[in-house]
Amino acid sequence: LDFEHVNSAVPLFDHYRPFETIVTQFSLHKCNKQPYPGLEKSTFDMEHFEYITDGSTESLEYLVEDLIHKAGNHGSILVYSSSEATQLQRLGDRYPHLRDGIMSLKSRLVDLADIIRKNVAHPSFRGRYSLKVVLPALVPEYSGTYDSLAISDGAEAVLSLEHMLDGMASTAEKDEIRADLLEYCALDTLGLVDLHAALYAIASNTSNSESK
C-alpha cells in the first residue's frame, strides 16, 4: 500500500486547514498467493487497485471507502514508512462512520522499512534506507527504473498533485499528470511485492546457513 498526498499552504479542498496532509491517491497490489522468491510474477495471482481524487472533497471519502473494500478483511498490508499508519489514524478521526474499517487496515500494516533498518545491511545503502535506494540494491531489476519516470520521487509527486488540483492546469495537463502519478505510485507498490520476496529469500538463506 502506498499513499500520495498534498499539504499546501492554501488548502485545495474544503474543510481542511493550511498545511494539513490530505491523502489524495492510493495504490495497492494485492497478492492472493504468497510471492515466494524464484516464482514468476504471473504465478503470484496478483491484482492491482488504485484511486486518485478527481478534485472534489467528496472523492476523498470515496478513496477511503474504496481502499477498505479493495483491501479486504485479512492479510498483512506492506508499507514502506510510518506515514500510512499516521494517515490512516487521521482518516479514522475525520470519518468516524468508517473508523472501524480504517483501524482494521491500520492493524494489518507491516512496515518493511523498519524491518530493513533493523536487520539488513548492504554496501549500496550507504547509510540510507529510502525505498529508491533499498529496492534496486536488493532487487537489481529496479536499477534505474524510477529515473525513467516522469515523476520519480515523493516530492515531485506532491508538487504534481498540487498543480493538478490548483485550478491552473489545463485538461490535457491534468490528464498527463494523472497518468504519471498513477504510474509512479503503482511502481512503489509493485516494488514492495518484489522487496518482500527478496527479504523472504534473505531470511530463508540465513535460516538454512544457521541450520548447517
Side-chain angles (χ1 to χ4, degrees):
L1 172 66
D2 185 51
F3 287 149
E4 301 300 335
H5 67 272
V6 293
N7 54 359
S8 55
V10 178
L12 298 171
F13 297 88
D14 295 336
H15 313 302
Y16 283 85
R17 302 185 304 274
F19 298 110
E20 184 174 358
T21 299
I22 306 171
V23 175
T24 52
Q25 178 182 356
F26 78 77
S27 175
L28 177 73
H29 275 85
K30 186 175 181 180
C31 295
N32 298 310
K33 292 182 180 179
Q34 172 69 41
Y36 292 110
L39 293 181
E40 294 296 326
K41 287 184 182 178
S42 60
T43 68
F44 285 8
D45 190 17
M46 184 164 55
E47 301 174 276
H48 179 232
F49 305 108
E50 59 188 359
Y51 182 86
I52 189 168
T53 177
D54 63 7
S56 67
T57 301
E58 294 76 15
S59 70
L60 301 178
E61 182 175 347
Y62 180 75
L63 180 153
V64 180
E65 293 173 341
D66 194 47
L67 176 60
I68 292 171
H69 174 68
K70 296 295 174 50
N73 299 316
H74 64 277
S76 298
I77 300 175
L78 305 180
V79 295
Y80 200 85
S81 79
S82 60
S83 175
E84 279 70 24
T86 299
Q87 296 314 315
L88 286 172
Q89 185 67 48
R90 291 173 176 170
L91 289 169
D93 294 338
R94 176 165 286 275
Y95 303 114
H97 59 295
L98 299 175
R99 182 176 177 80
D100 288 349
I102 294 170
M103 291 300 102
S104 177
L105 295 181
K106 182 173 180 285
S107 71
R108 293 159 55 195
L109 297 184
V110 176
D111 184 357
L112 292 186
D114 186 54
I115 292 172
I116 290 171
R117 277 193 296 267
K118 293 177 180 178
N119 299 282
V120 182
H122 192 286
S124 295
F125 291 177
R126 298 182 181 180
R128 300 168 297 166
Y129 290 91
S130 74
L131 183 62
K132 302 337 181 255
V133 171
V134 169
L135 185 55
L138 299 183
V139 189
E141 68 189 77
Y142 282 86
S143 180
T145 304
Y146 284 93
D147 295 336
S148 66
L149 300 183
I151 297 172
S152 59
D153 60 42
E156 288 182 9
V158 171
L159 291 174
S160 297
L161 274 163
E162 290 179 353
H163 182 51
M164 185 180 77
L165 298 168
D166 65 10
M168 302 299 289
S170 67
T171 299
E173 285 180 300
K174 288 179 182 179
D175 290 344
E176 182 177 0
I177 292 170
R178 183 180 187 278
D180 291 341
L181 285 165
L182 291 172
E183 182 181 24
Y184 167 72
C185 200
L187 183 60
D188 273 355
T189 53
L190 181 61
L192 290 180
V193 174
D194 289 321
L195 183 58
H196 176 259
L199 291 173
Y200 185 93
I202 292 171
S204 298
N205 290 337
T206 300
S207 177
N208 291 337
S209 297
E210 290 176 349
S211 64
K212 291 179 180 180

